[in-house]
Each structure stands twice: as C-alpha cells, then as structure tokens.
Amino acid sequence: MRSTAITTRASSTETTRGISVSDHPLGWMPKTTSRRLRPACRSVASMSASGMREAVAGRTDELRHMATDSRVAAGGLILSRITGFVRVSATAAVLGPTYFGNLFQVSAVLPNAFYGMLIGALILALLVPPLVGRLQTEGVGSARRFANASLGLIIAILMAVAVLALALAPFVLGMLAPADMGRQLVALGLPLLLMLMPQVVLYIVAGVGAAVQQAHGRFALSSAASAAENIGVVAVMASCATLFGTGTEIDAVTMPQLVLLGVGTTASVALHAGLQWWGAHRLGVSLWPSFAWGDPDVRRMLRQSLSSIGYTSLYWAEFLLLLAVSATIPGGVAAFLIAHSVCQLPIQLTAKPLSSAQLPRLAECFHKHMPAEFWTIYDGGLRLALFVVLPASMVLAAIPETLAHAMAFGEMATPDGVALIGCCIGGMALGTAGEMVLIVATSASYARRDTRTPAYAMTLRLVVIVLAAAIAQFALLGTKRLWMAGAAMAAANLVAGAYLHWQLRRTLPAGNATLRRGLALDLGFSVAAALSAVGLATWLEGMPGTILEHMLVAAAALAASLVTYVLPQLARGSQELLILVPALHRVGQGPY
C-alpha cells in the first residue's frame, strides 16, 4: 500500500525524559481524556531536541509523497469541480431567477444534505482509519466484511430517518416562496422529492466505495467519479431546455418536465455510485450490504458516527439556513450556489485532496503511537494548503464583480443576476482560508478518533451563522441580504477553523512548527496578487463586451495574480512551491 507506507522513526516510540509514548494504549491522549493522564501528554510534548530533529528529518520526503497523492486526488477533483460548476451554471441558466428554480435547486440539494447531516461529510474520516488498520493486520477479506457491515448499518439508519424527512418536507418547501405560492410549491415539491430521495442510498454506496479506495491509497477515481454525475445533470438540463424551454415559473411547470428533472438527476447520481462501486470491486471489496453488526470495529464506528452526527447535522443545517435566506430573493439560491462553487474551488484543489492523502498516514501514525510524526504530517499539510488558499481567497474577494460577469449564463446574465452573484462571492471569499483549516483539522481529529472537538467547532460556526442570518433576514434587503449570507459563512468558517486548530495544537507535541515560517511573506505576496488582479480587471473592464470577453478578462486577471504570487515565491525558493510543483525544483531553490 504505497500511500500509507510511513517511515517509522525510532525517536517517536522510544523513552523521552523517562516516559514512553507507547506506555498508554492511545500513544498520546486527546483533549477528552482524563485530566490526570495529561501530564504524560505534556512530557511527550517536551521531547529531546535530538528526537525532534530525527522526527523532522523525514518531513520533506513525507510531504513530497503526500503531495504526489494530493496531486492525483486534485486532478480528479479539478474535473469534478469544473463539471460541478458547469452543472450549477447550466441549472441556473435553464431554470433562471425564478421561484421554481429555487424549488428545484433546494430539492436537489436536500438528498445530499440529508445524507450529509447524518454521516456523509465524515464518512471517509470514519471508515478509512479502521479500513487501514484491517488491511495492515488482517487483509482484504476483513476489510470487505467491515465495509459491507458498515454499508448495511448506514443504509438502515438513513432509511429509517428518511420517513421523518419526508414528513417535514411540506414545512421546508413552504419557506421557499411567498405565502400565496406556498400550495403550488408543495404540490410540485413533494413528487419531486419522492423522485430524488433514492439518491440517499446511492450516495452511501458512493461514500463507502470512495473510503475503500482511499484506504488502499487509490485517489484518482474516488475523487473524479462525481464528474459523471455532474455531466449527467448537465445533459438533463439541456434536454429540459430543448423540450420545455427556459425560465419556467411555478404555474407553468408540467408533470413531464418535473419527471425529466427528478428521474434524470437521480439516474446521474446512480452513475456516480456505480463508478465508486466498481472502484472498490477492482480492489477485491465488492460492496453488498450485510448485517454483521456485532463486529467491534462496526460498533466503534457506530458510536463515532453518533458523535459525528452533531458535526454533520450542524454543517448542513447551517448551509440550508443560508439557502433559506437566499431563497427569499428570486434567483438568490442560484447566485448563492454559483458563488459557493467558485469559493470552494481552491478548497477542493488543496484542502480536500490533502486531507484525503494525509488521513491514512495520520491514522497509521495514531495506530503506531507516533505523535511527533502525526504533528509534522498535519502541520506540513496545513502549510501546503494555506500556501494555495490564502492568495486565492484574497483574489476572489478583490474581483467579485469581474468573476460574476464571467459566470452569469443564460437567464442569470442580467444586471440583477450579475449583482446577486458578485455580492455573494464578495461576502464569502475571505472565509475560504478558514474553511480550509477546518477541513484539514477535522480530518486530523478523526484520525485520532476524536469526534467531540470538531462538533464543538461546528457549534461555534452555528452561533455565528444564526446571528448573521437573523441580521440578513430582518434588517437587510436585496443584494445586501445576499452579501450578509456569504459573509456569515466566511466569518463562521474563520472562527471554527481557528478554534479547531488551536485545540489540536494544545494536545499534540509541537514538533517542528512550520506553519508560522514564511506565512507573513505569503500574506504580503497574496495582497500583491490581489492588487494586480484588481488593476488589470479595472483597466480591461472599461470596455463593455460579450460573455466570452468577460471570461477572458477574468482569466487575464487571475493569470496576473498567479504570476505576481508565484514569481517571488520561486525567487526565494519556497519549499511549499517546490513540493507542490516538483518541476520547478530545477529552476531555482533558495533558503526556506
């Protein structure tokens, strides 16, 4: 198993200052352990200087291997995110800034949100560590039994709760339009939801299949498979536009159009799940639900999943709350989802692949009681992600209108549609770095089997979002309301990410803290990149143009910011740049 082969350094398990890391069965204690055991943890944190040097000696090589896996995962995620953006844009272009567009977009999100509320967002974090342990100690057969038992258990739980979700559907749907349209909305929304809800089971199969592949160190297909779903939905939207036209409002929607949208979208999710199933099958793990729930690892996973429900439920409840605020404005949901897709791009290209690549490694470090290596892998991965996300968030915040002009297609390509998208991007962008830290730190926490601290972080996130959403709903109108919805997500991500990283920093041996090194320079170069993007975009946008010309202006501004950021980093020999782009290693290398 190539990607999880971590070099064991003796210094991490030998006695330091009279206390061995492996004296305790957990190797080191998370925050939730007994207070009287924490002195041992503090002693581990004060390892000898020679031990720390040995632990750090292999950091660069390990980060290079992790970056290689991350690039493979990022390649798949690039395809998924590009097709995902095309999917959101195509849906907005066909359905337009209408209340039916709001209805379909929210209904299409609900199955994924329902799955995500219970386990989806953390299914990899819950399944990969035990799968790694079984593959190392007992082989593929044991991993297959665990995966199938987990699949059966998750399906049983989610199907039992699905009845409650459908019962609450009329209340949720009634919030998406003014009172005089409420009955029409429910009349269309209930049959649409019945066609979409089977996606919950399909997402479970896809999630377990991806976990099996990543536990084996395979990241390409598990990251790229969702692109098939996105392409399928785009094809459904093209068919809908051809057969029924665009911009249809609630009172003009026919049942054939509703069936095409509902059944076609579910079939696209089935294609995604089929690819993930095949990816696990080719590794010897054919996924068929079983009911062997007496397995100790399955019980442990169930206990952890019950703890993680708080995290996932809060995350999706917050997202749906912001969607509800956006739905009070025609086209608001489409604008919010487009902006969210744009701001998620740097996260999907860095935090998601890095957290996927580091999760098996961190799980192995925890399994082998190697806290110093755990810290260096986590800290190095976070530093690599910040290197990319920090400038990206500043550039997105600097040119929201330029990006909005380039991404407003079809029915959204109006001054109002552009304004809605731009204000959402402007409010949401600066929180991108916070969400990146939250994702990477959550993955590290789950590798340590700590499910409580991420839930506390998500509770903080909820408090911030509820306060900001209340201000947006009752004190603001129009584009200001949408800007506040985006800003609420940004502020919440920054608070939650900082809290969770601080908690990890407190409970792990510090190792060679690389996070602060070079961060001030990265911040300065990020500001310069944002200024160059603003300057070029302002100069070029003085001339009104077509959608293609707007796209070229946005591409030129982004390219200028990239050059402004990368060239100084290359000149100073940034280690992160050379790790992320090995081809530059021969061009120049300076002091870190």
Side-chain angles (χ1 to χ4, degrees):
M1 192 168 60
R2 174 181 58 83
S3 67
T4 57
I6 298 179
T7 303
T8 304
R9 287 173 284 279
S11 61
S12 62
T13 55
E14 291 177 353
T15 301
T16 58
R17 300 195 182 186
I19 297 177
S20 173
V21 176
S22 57
D23 285 345
H24 189 272
L26 292 181
W28 72 97
M29 279 63 70
K31 182 176 183 294
T32 54
T33 53
S34 172
R35 291 183 180 273
R36 52 198 176 87
L37 294 177
R38 290 186 189 175
C41 187
R42 294 191 192 100
S43 297
V44 171
S46 58
M47 294 175 69
S48 66
S50 61
M52 278 301 174
R53 282 195 297 270
E54 290 181 26
V56 175
R59 170 184 173 272
T60 301
D61 287 341
E62 184 57 41
L63 288 181
R64 291 188 193 281
H65 290 303
M66 190 168 70
T68 299
D69 287 337
S70 298
R71 283 192 293 272
V72 173
L77 286 170
I78 288 173
L79 180 61
S80 296
R81 296 312 298 179
I82 290 175
T83 56
F85 174 74
V86 173
R87 168 183 177 169
V88 172
S89 299
T91 304
V94 172
L95 301 182
T98 62
Y99 284 113
F100 177 69
N102 286 351
L103 169 66
F104 178 80
Q105 299 249 35
V106 172
S107 299
V109 167
L110 281 178
N112 195 15
F114 174 59
Y115 158 71
M117 279 183 174
L118 295 181
I119 196 172
L122 297 174
I123 192 168
L124 295 177
L126 288 170
L127 296 184
V128 169
L131 283 170
V132 168
R134 288 193 171 225
L135 287 170
Q136 289 184 343
T137 58
E138 301 177 41
V140 175
S142 177
R144 180 172 57 248
R145 290 190 296 273
F146 171 74
N148 287 331
S150 300
L151 178 63
L153 180 62
I154 297 170
I155 288 177
I157 294 174
L158 264 67
M159 292 306 294
V161 182
V163 178
L164 177 62
L166 287 174
L168 295 175
F171 171 75
V172 175
L173 294 174
M175 298 170 58
L176 303 181
D180 58 340
M181 291 186 174
R183 290 188 178 181
Q184 289 178 300
L185 214 65
V186 172
L188 289 174
L190 285 179
L192 181 60
L193 275 178
L194 288 174
M195 290 181 275
L196 296 175
M197 285 307 288
Q199 295 178 16
V200 174
V201 175
L202 297 173
Y203 280 126
I204 296 170
V205 174
V208 176
V212 170
Q213 294 172 73
Q214 293 192 12
H216 281 81
R218 304 293 183 88
F219 299 95
L221 180 61
S222 64
S223 302
S226 61
E229 174 186 337
N230 296 329
I231 293 171
V233 173
V234 171
V236 170
M237 289 300 156
S239 301
C240 181
T242 302
L243 296 174
F244 304 103
T246 62
T248 308
E249 197 40 282
I250 291 176
D251 54 359
V253 176
T254 62
M255 187 54 65
Q257 182 178 4
L258 204 66
V259 170
L260 172 63
L261 292 171
V263 175
T265 303
T266 299
S268 301
V269 178
L271 180 59
H272 171 198
L275 287 174
Q276 297 285 26
W277 186 95
W278 177 79
H281 173 73
R282 66 177 181 166
L283 297 172
V285 182
S286 298
L287 295 176
W288 303 106
S290 71
F291 302 96
W293 298 344
D295 187 299
D297 279 342
V298 175
R299 292 180 182 177
R300 186 180 300 111
M301 187 274 297
L302 177 60
R303 289 194 298 270
Q304 291 179 330
S305 67
L306 292 176
S307 298
S308 71
I309 285 175
Y311 181 99
T312 54
S313 297
L314 288 171
Y315 179 89
W316 280 100
E318 295 154 6
F319 187 76
L320 292 176
L321 175 62
L322 294 177
L323 280 185
V325 172
S326 304
T328 59
I329 301 171
V333 172
F336 186 88
L337 290 177
I338 290 174
H340 186 259
S341 179
V342 172
C343 293
Q344 283 286 303
L345 184 59
I347 295 174
Q348 295 290 337
L349 298 185
T350 54
K352 290 293 180 68
L354 277 169
S355 63
S356 297
Q358 77 175 10
L359 180 59
R361 293 171 164 85
L362 294 178
E364 186 174 355
C365 287
F366 183 84
H367 181 70
K368 292 182 176 180
H369 318 309
M370 299 159 60
E373 284 80 354
F374 188 104
W375 171 258
T376 55
I377 291 173
Y378 163 73
D379 184 64
L382 190 61
R383 183 71 180 86
L384 290 174
L386 267 177
F387 181 82
V388 176
V389 173
L390 189 61
S393 65
M394 291 196 171
V395 171
L396 290 175
I399 54 170
E401 292 184 5
T402 301
L403 297 172
H405 276 290
M407 295 169 186
F409 300 100
E411 295 292 323
M412 292 295 290
T414 63
D416 289 341
V418 170
L420 292 175
I421 297 172
C423 70
C424 282
I425 295 176
M428 201 180 297
L430 287 180
T432 303
E435 185 167 1
M436 180 278 298
V437 175
L438 182 62
I439 290 171
V440 176
T442 297
S443 175
S445 298
Y446 272 75
R448 300 168 60 220
R449 309 294 177 90
D450 176 13
T451 59
R452 293 183 183 180
T453 311
Y456 296 153
M458 198 55 60
T459 303
L460 282 176
R461 189 174 184 267
L462 174 65
V463 172
V464 176
I465 284 180
V466 168
L467 292 175
I471 295 173
Q473 184 68 24
F474 299 110
L476 300 175
L477 296 174
T479 56
K480 292 182 179 179
R481 180 179 294 177
L482 276 185
W483 182 90
M484 179 58 78
M489 178 174 284
N493 286 332
L494 289 169
V495 171
Y499 168 79
L500 190 53
H501 173 72
W502 176 67
Q503 289 294 337
L504 276 170
R505 177 67 183 82
R506 288 178 61 233
T507 54
L508 285 172
N512 182 40
T514 63
L515 185 58
R516 293 183 298 275
R517 276 200 258 157
L519 196 56
L521 283 174
D522 291 348
L523 183 60
F525 295 148
S526 299
V527 172
L531 292 176
S532 68
V534 170
L536 185 59
T538 302
W539 180 58
L540 292 176
E541 282 187 341
M543 301 168 286
T546 63
I547 182 66
L548 178 59
E549 290 171 334
H550 283 304
M551 293 175 67
L552 291 176
V553 169
L558 293 174
S561 66
L562 179 64
V563 172
T564 304
Y565 183 73
V566 169
L567 287 183
Q569 297 283 13
L570 182 61
R572 79 181 185 94
S574 168
Q575 185 177 356
E576 286 73 30
L577 180 61
L578 299 177
I579 289 174
L580 291 170
V581 189
L584 295 176
H585 194 276
R586 296 180 182 179
V587 177
Q589 184 175 7
Y592 176 57

